[in-house]
Amino acid sequence: MTGSAVSDQATALPLVWDVADLEPRVAELLDAKQRRVSRGRYDAKSADDVTALLEGLLQARGERDFSLHEVHRMAGGASKEQFAFKLRRGDDVERMVLRLDPPESIVETCRYREAEVFAAMARHGVPTPSTRFLDGDGTHLGAPGIVTSFVSGVTSPPVDSTLISGVGTSFTAEWRKLLAPQFIDTLTLIHGADWQSASLPHFTAPTAHPHQAALWQVNWWSRIWRDDQVDPYPLITLAERWMRERLPETPANSADLVLLHGDFRTGNFMFDPDTGRFSAVLDWELAHIGDFHEDLGWILQRLFAGPAEDGRVLACNLIEREELIQRYEEATGRTVNPRTLAFYEVLAAFKCAVMNLGTGYSAAARGHNHQDVLLSFLSPVGHVFLGEIATIIEREAAL
């Protein structure tokens, strides 16, 4: 059923099946993406291409007497094309990073929102990159992009090996002792930010009814699945129905409604390799306003977990599940609802299954992403998340 069809019948449908109820900016992004799917194959930009685009943007922003140096593609970037460079103004030289949208990404997100959340979090003491230049609609860069400060640090200890997107990062007990408290403290800071007084014009809070925070997320990712699926998977259909029948409540006036990171985990924070001190939280593109359980559900995904030396399973290879919940409750004064958390654990696995089995695979097949080989490689990982969905649903059915 299409969104327009549901919109025409919305008053006659139960709330849970109003699939057209989406955060407005998210709906705009998904509609714009659908208009791009008929484009031909995309050729990844060269350093010379990016240099010329950056020069145009900086000139449009009033920069004069500057030069660009050492423009080069950064490793990784399954979502956005990323380039590091140095900007020289007289004797001053600053390292910066450009994040640029390809025609299709494994996640469709907004550079305006990214800049807004950087500013909101910086005011609240969360370490983030700083926006230097913004081209949110792609007027000068040819695609939406953001230029940020360059943050020093590592995402894993220098002696450890890391697989794609932070998966497989392993910490010793000594590193966990340094990083786990900062992980909890930073999540607490993020969820404590006063989003109501922040300047977030491209965000909308789900305050129309208590189920809207959960419904917007189910509608967001089920819409993406309808748009991008290559092959049908009955378990994805089952998961969507399971979530719609169990939408948790998050009252609009509740402290449970917070500004979420959306992808908070090992691999998305940086720290000093000598001291272990956090230097930045990265990858804010999935940030939105919603229920705090959502970030916890994401952190607890099995794919991000790892074993301790004694065989215990640790969330993000940092902390045991129950300890994470206990320390979060102590730090925030909130109470974690087990049923609500289970809902958001299913949602987290659902999102990742959609990304890998739908969006990533279809974008690679159409040649619309600079990392088509990587996205094809990641597609089978979606089955890990299908297994996680089945495990959680079976666990909840046994209660």
Side-chain angles (χ1 to χ4, degrees), residues 62-205:
E63 292 286 333
R64 299 292 182 267
D65 299 323
F66 68 88
S67 57
L68 301 175
H69 303 272
E70 301 178 27
V71 179
H72 63 278
R73 183 180 292 275
M74 299 177 70
S79 172
K80 304 294 175 281
E81 290 193 81
Q82 298 189 121
F83 297 85
F85 64 95
K86 290 182 178 179
L87 173 62
R88 178 182 290 275
R89 304 179 182 98
D91 293 332
D92 180 64
V93 178
E94 182 180 2
R95 296 181 73 186
M96 298 183 185
V97 174
L98 167 66
R99 286 170 48 79
L100 191 64
D101 289 15
E104 288 189 66
S105 170
I106 198 167
V107 287
E108 196 66 29
T109 56
C110 174
R111 305 288 69 74
Y112 289 115
R113 285 165 69 113
E114 196 169 3
E116 289 163 11
V117 80
F118 284 163
M121 287 297 155
R123 285 194 297 271
H124 200 64
V126 179
T128 69
S130 300
T131 303
R132 294 292 186 257
F133 303 98
L134 177 64
D135 187 13
D137 58 6
T139 298
H140 304 286
L141 294 172
I146 184 172
V147 176
T148 71
S149 58
F150 185 95
V151 181
S152 298
V154 297
T155 57
S156 64
V159 296
D160 293 339
S161 62
T162 305
L163 302 180
I164 295 167
S165 298
V167 176
T169 299
S170 177
F171 298 113
T172 63
E174 290 74 19
W175 277 106
R176 287 194 291 271
K177 185 176 180 180
L178 282 170
L179 298 174
Q182 295 181 83
F183 187 80
I184 299 295
D185 290 345
T186 303
L187 182 62
T188 301
L189 273 177
I190 293 169
H191 288 182
D194 183 5
W195 57 266
Q196 292 170 309
S197 64
S199 178
L200 301 169
H202 289 84
F203 289 79
T204 304

Side-chain angles (χ1 to χ4, degrees), residues 63-376:
E63 292 286 333
R64 299 292 182 267
D65 299 323
F66 68 88
S67 57
L68 301 175
H69 303 272
E70 301 178 27
V71 179
H72 63 278
R73 183 180 292 275
M74 299 177 70
S79 172
K80 304 294 175 281
E81 290 193 81
Q82 298 189 121
F83 297 85
F85 64 95
K86 290 182 178 179
L87 173 62
R88 178 182 290 275
R89 304 179 182 98
D91 293 332
D92 180 64
V93 178
E94 182 180 2
R95 296 181 73 186
M96 298 183 185
V97 174
L98 167 66
R99 286 170 48 79
L100 191 64
D101 289 15
E104 288 189 66
S105 170
I106 198 167
V107 287
E108 196 66 29
T109 56
C110 174
R111 305 288 69 74
Y112 289 115
R113 285 165 69 113
E114 196 169 3
E116 289 163 11
V117 80
F118 284 163
M121 287 297 155
R123 285 194 297 271
H124 200 64
V126 179
T128 69
S130 300
T131 303
R132 294 292 186 257
F133 303 98
L134 177 64
D135 187 13
D137 58 6
T139 298
H140 304 286
L141 294 172
I146 184 172
V147 176
T148 71
S149 58
F150 185 95
V151 181
S152 298
V154 297
T155 57
S156 64
V159 296
D160 293 339
S161 62
T162 305
L163 302 180
I164 295 167
S165 298
V167 176
T169 299
S170 177
F171 298 113
T172 63
E174 290 74 19
W175 277 106
R176 287 194 291 271
K177 185 176 180 180
L178 282 170
L179 298 174
Q182 295 181 83
F183 187 80
I184 299 295
D185 290 345
T186 303
L187 182 62
T188 301
L189 273 177
I190 293 169
H191 288 182
D194 183 5
W195 57 266
Q196 292 170 309
S197 64
S199 178
L200 301 169
H202 289 84
F203 289 79
T204 304
T207 57
H209 53 79
H211 296 284
Q212 193 173 48
L215 181 62
W216 271 4
Q217 293 306 303
V218 176
N219 284 349
W220 182 353
W221 295 95
S222 59
R223 156 75 189 269
I224 292 173
W225 180 246
R226 290 194 299 274
D227 289 346
D228 293 344
Q229 69 170 299
V230 177
D231 297 308
Y233 286 89
L235 192 51
I236 290 182
T237 303
L238 172 66
E240 179 185 348
R241 184 179 186 90
W242 186 92
M243 289 187 292
R244 291 188 185 280
E245 291 176 349
R246 292 163 177 80
L247 292 176
E249 292 189 1
T250 312
N253 61 353
S254 169
D256 292 356
L257 204 58
V258 302
L259 184 55
L260 298 159
H261 181 280
D263 193 10
F264 190 66
R265 57 176 173 82
T266 296
N268 281 346
F269 60 81
M270 298 184 73
F271 55 93
D272 184 281
D274 297 320
T275 66
R277 186 173 181 82
F278 272 32
S279 57
V281 179
L282 307 174
D283 287 358
W284 290 85
E285 58 185 316
L286 285 170
H288 59 279
I289 299 166
D291 191 306
F292 77 85
H293 291 85
E294 188 177 342
D295 269 346
L296 292 175
W298 186 266
I299 291 166
L300 290 169
Q301 285 191 90
R302 182 173 59 181
L303 192 67
F304 303 147
E309 294 79 1
D310 57 6
R312 291 174 299 142
V313 177
L314 305 179
C316 291
N317 199 246
L318 287 173
I319 187 170
E320 286 188 276
R321 176 191 181 93
E322 294 308 317
E323 185 181 0
L324 169 70
I325 293 171
Q326 178 184 345
R327 290 171 68 171
Y328 180 84
E329 289 182 329
E330 291 172 350
T332 64
R334 299 186 178 97
T335 299
V336 175
N337 183 305
R339 291 180 64 89
T340 302
L341 181 58
F343 170 90
Y344 282 108
E345 288 181 87
V346 171
L347 175 68
F350 182 84
K351 289 192 287 187
C352 288
V354 167
M355 288 181 204
N356 288 280
L357 295 171
T359 306
Y361 186 65
S362 61
R366 287 191 283 261
H368 283 181
N369 188 279
H370 59 296
Q371 291 273 34
D372 52 354
V373 174
L374 173 60
L375 296 184
S376 299

Side-chain angles (χ1 to χ4, degrees), residues 11-29:
T11 56
L13 287 172
L15 168 71
V16 296
W17 289 106
D18 182 5
V19 301
D21 187 8
L22 282 167
E23 183 180 358
R25 181 56 177 161
V26 170
E28 292 172 1
L29 292 168

